Amino acid sequence: MKIGIIGSGNMGRSLGILWAEQGYQVFFGARTAEKGKAVAEFAGYETQGGTNDEAAAFGDVLLYTARGVDPADVFTSLEILAGKILIDPNNFEIPEDFNYPPIVKSLAETLAEQAPMARVVKAFNTIPLEVFELAPEPLKDYNVSVFVAADDGAAKQTVIQLAQEIGFSPIDSGSLRHARLIEGLADLERFLIIGQKMGAYAVPAINILPSAQTQRLGGRQASALK
Ligand SMILES: NC(=O)c1ccc[n+]([C@@H]2O[C@H](COP(=O)([O-])OP(=O)(O)OC[C@H]3O[C@@H](n4cnc5c(N)ncnc54)[C@H](OP(=O)(O)O)[C@@H]3O)[C@@H](O)[C@H]2O)c1
């Protein structure tokens, strides 16, 4: 499996290097071939670099880091995305005073509408950059959740595997519509991390707990609520 990075900034560079370390062929794309090549040179592991068009043509899986940018403005032709798994790690810009509006349509759903021939998967948007520096060791000992949502089941399984291989504990989070919830979670995180000054390592995780052996509190009973 080959991986193309669309936009070789912080997320693109970090995830690209982590996947190259796992033995995947990685191509770093950028708006200029010079930048893509420079990032590949920094990354090592025989990675390649060039334009976003070249990265998209190269990869079976693409990481799309150009937040809110219509792919029609990134690629010469949208045909290049046909059948490709398009990972969307994006979050909305943080509004002033963290006054987030409700998410009525996620960035991932918008991307899927803009690139209907691609198989869009939401993932990694709840992971602050600093956490990738811990991957895959010692990260894999900490059960850090990556919430993965997609309408294409096979594409979702591929991204779950890619997350697992670099030390995360991926959680199948259902269809792409649920990206609304996952993007909302990232908004809360950024409020806690930046607004409440808790720092980048305050990452919500679903840890797997042992089942309680008794129900001495009465257990979960029928609720009157809908
Ligand atoms: N940083 C984090 O901690 C973090 C964590 C989770 C999620 N995210 C999300 O991940 C996304 C990327 O974040 P980042 O930190 O990687 O940002 P970044 O370092 O600024 O990188 C963004 C990339 O977007 C590309 N880009 C920007 N405008 C573009 C345009 N008009 N056309 C084509 N490409 C364009 C740039 O490509 P070039 O390479 O061509 O310059 C750049 O590489 C954002 O949505 C962010 O919310 C970030």
Side-chain angles (χ1 to χ4, degrees), residues 7-12 29-32 35 52 65-67 69 74 89-91 124-130 190:
S8 292
N10 288 298
M11 290 291 277
R31 282 169 290 185
T32 64
K35 177 170 179 194
N52 284 322
T65 69
R67 160 184 35 222
V69 182
V74 173
N90 295 299
N91 290 312
F124 300 110
N125 65 306
T126 58
I127 309 299
L129 195 76
E130 291 79 357
R190 293 181 299 164

Side-chain angles (χ1 to χ4, degrees), residues 65-90:
T65 69
R67 160 184 35 222
V69 182
D70 188 329
D73 296 329
V74 173
F75 305 108
T76 310
S77 161
L78 286 179
E79 290 304 310
I80 210 161
L81 299 178
K84 309 257 172 168
I85 296 175
L86 195 57
I87 305 175
D88 172 24
N90 295 299

Side-chain angles (χ1 to χ4, degrees), residues 72-204:
D73 296 329
V74 173
F75 305 108
T76 310
S77 161
L78 286 179
E79 290 304 310
I80 210 161
L81 299 178
K84 309 257 172 168
I85 296 175
L86 195 57
I87 305 175
D88 172 24
N90 295 299
N91 290 312
F92 286 102
E93 195 175 337
I94 299 174
E96 199 175 337
D97 297 331
F98 297 90
N99 287 325
Y100 297 108
I103 296 175
V104 288
K105 191 196 282 184
S106 63
L107 287 164
E109 291 168 282
T110 300
L111 185 61
E113 284 174 8
Q114 292 166 333
M117 64 299 288
R119 304 152 75 196
V120 175
V121 180
K122 189 80 202 179
F124 300 110
N125 65 306
T126 58
I127 309 299
L129 195 76
E130 291 79 357
V131 173
F132 293 110
E133 298 285 356
L134 298 173
E137 303 273 2
L139 185 71
K140 68 176 182 44
D141 297 332
Y142 289 88
N143 266 342
V144 175
S145 308
V146 164
F147 301 96
V148 188
D151 292 336
D152 182 313
K156 183 162 59 177
Q157 282 311 314
T158 298
V159 177
I160 283 174
Q161 182 193 325
L162 285 170
Q164 221 153 25
E165 285 171 351
I166 56 174
F168 289 99
S169 298
I171 309 276
D172 183 336
S173 306
S175 66
L176 197 65
R177 190 181 198 280
H178 299 300
R180 299 172 192 188
L181 305 177
I182 305 173
E183 291 177 15
L185 176 58
D187 288 345
L188 169 66
E189 278 186 28
R190 293 181 299 164
F191 169 62
L192 296 177
I193 290 170
I194 304 165
Q196 301 290 82
K197 302 186 170 39
M198 288 174 69
Y201 297 100
V203 187

